[in-house]
Amino acid sequence: MKQKKSGQSFYQAHHVAMVEKILRVSKRLLLQKGFSALSMDEIANKVGLSRQRLYCYFRGIDPIIYEIQIADMSQFIAAMKDAYRPTISLAPEERLHRIIDAAFAYQDARSEDFLFTSDFDTFYRARRKGLNDYRSRYEKTFNDQEFNQMLFQLFAEGQKSGAFRH
């Protein structure tokens, strides 16, 4: 279990650790079986909970799937921001090369995340209706304003300097 944060009760720390375990195990199972073949019973069994107890954490497979994708997207965006920040003094074309290289390195290191994202976008998100709260959170994560502003500024500078064509 992760070390508990200051001010966090044992129950809260246990809850966070269990949610992380559920998401980790579910992701592995989803990649093995696909989105339509997985059941709450199987997740509960693999995590070591009863089905009823699993429902205390998640109200179904759909919220689990969205939480996995939101976490993956958040980690990718954070990694891209971290890769971009040290390049701020470089020429726009060099910054663009570095962020692209960082994206490919991230993909190589976490290919499972990209496989999940591909399956999520291709087979799951487009076919599932409802879940508006999760869709909204996913869209907000995907459209990170700070990251989008970084990219906008990069491309504007590149166009202004003539390094990028209009």
Side-chain angles (χ1 to χ4, degrees):
M1 182 185 314
K2 288 187 174 183
Q3 195 172 19
K4 79 176 196 170
K5 294 178 184 175
S6 162
Q8 192 178 45
S9 72
F10 173 79
Y11 172 77
Q12 290 166 324
H14 176 75
H15 183 83
V16 168
M18 184 55 71
V19 165
E20 290 172 357
K21 181 178 181 181
I22 292 166
L23 295 176
R24 188 175 55 254
V25 168
S26 297
K27 182 178 183 178
R28 191 174 331 112
L29 292 169
L30 284 162
L31 287 168
Q32 291 170 357
K33 297 181 159 277
F35 288 95
S36 60
L38 188 61
S39 71
M40 290 294 276
D41 286 328
E42 186 171 11
I43 294 169
N45 184 42
K46 293 286 186 182
V47 173
L49 296 172
S50 68
R51 183 177 184 201
Q52 293 79 12
R53 187 72 181 140
L54 179 59
Y55 276 100
C56 292
Y57 293 95
F58 293 99
R59 297 194 179 268
I61 289 178
D62 293 331
I64 292 172
I65 291 170
Y66 265 96
E67 289 297 338
I68 292 167
Q69 182 58 20
I70 290 167
D72 284 357
M73 186 60 63
S74 294
Q75 291 168 0
F76 175 72
I77 296 291
M80 293 303 94
K81 287 178 186 178
D82 289 347
Y84 179 83
R85 286 186 182 109
T87 68
I88 201 71
S89 63
L90 300 175
E93 58 272 20
E94 182 60 27
R95 281 189 284 169
L96 182 58
H97 283 290
R98 295 235 181 138
I99 200 164
I100 290 169
D101 289 346
F104 280 118
Y106 188 93
Q107 179 184 7
D108 288 345
R110 301 184 65 164
S111 59
E112 194 175 81
D113 292 353
F114 279 82
L115 179 59
F116 188 88
T117 296
S118 173
D119 289 350
F120 176 83
D121 283 336
T122 305
F123 301 109
Y124 181 79
R125 188 169 58 107
R127 296 179 184 169
R128 292 282 199 224
K129 302 302 178 202
L131 302 165
N132 292 335
D133 291 343
Y134 287 100
R135 284 181 179 280
S136 176
R137 284 183 50 225
Y138 174 69
E139 293 298 327
K140 185 177 179 182
T141 302
F142 185 77
N143 295 312
D144 182 274
Q145 292 299 314
E146 180 185 1
F147 184 64
N148 288 343
Q149 184 61 35
M150 288 175 169
L151 292 178
F152 177 80
Q153 183 177 3
L154 170 63
F155 286 109
E157 288 175 26
Q159 287 177 345
K160 186 176 180 180
S161 72
F164 304 160
R165 294 192 177 149
H166 294 274

